[in-house]
Amino acid sequence: MSDEVYGPERADRLVALLRALAARIQELDRSGRLLDAAPELQKLLGNARSELFHYEVRSTYDTPEVAESRRIVEDAIRELSLDEPDDDEPWRPDKRE
């Protein structure tokens, strides 16, 4: 799997990781050991935080092909901009009047 994109399989693993973390917190809470498990929770939270960061960054990452397509479209829009009328467009009102 490319490290630049966040595919559906990795997203599914993230969801499973978050659910496992939630279940572990609930289990520790029910047994009255929530604060006793601080080191374990720190590790689990760190893993979840790291993976959430990757999800946030990589799920919005543009592949080089997408970035190039976006650049081409933006260039075309700039070239076709109607903000500055040309002299060969007589239907536009003259700003000098």
Side-chain angles (χ1 to χ4, degrees), residues 34-53:
L34 189 57
L35 295 179
D36 294 335
E40 175 191 356
L41 290 174
Q42 286 283 14
K43 182 179 180 188
L44 293 173
L45 287 167
N47 293 341
R49 182 174 181 254
S50 175
E51 195 60 26
L52 279 169
F53 172 80

Side-chain angles (χ1 to χ4, degrees), residues 25-41:
I25 290 171
Q26 290 174 339
E27 176 186 329
L28 290 167
D29 189 36
R30 280 191 298 273
S31 66
R33 299 179 300 138
L34 189 57
L35 295 179
D36 294 335
E40 175 191 356
L41 290 174

Side-chain angles (χ1 to χ4, degrees), residues 6 9 11 15 33 36 40 45 49 51 53 61 63 69 73 75 85 92 94-95:
Y6 209 95
E9 300 86 18
V15 169
R33 299 179 300 138
D36 294 335
E40 175 191 356
L45 287 167
R49 182 174 181 254
E51 195 60 26
F53 172 80
Y61 175 82
T63 62
S69 296
V73 169
D75 287 351
R92 292 191 177 271
D94 190 356
K95 292 183 180 179

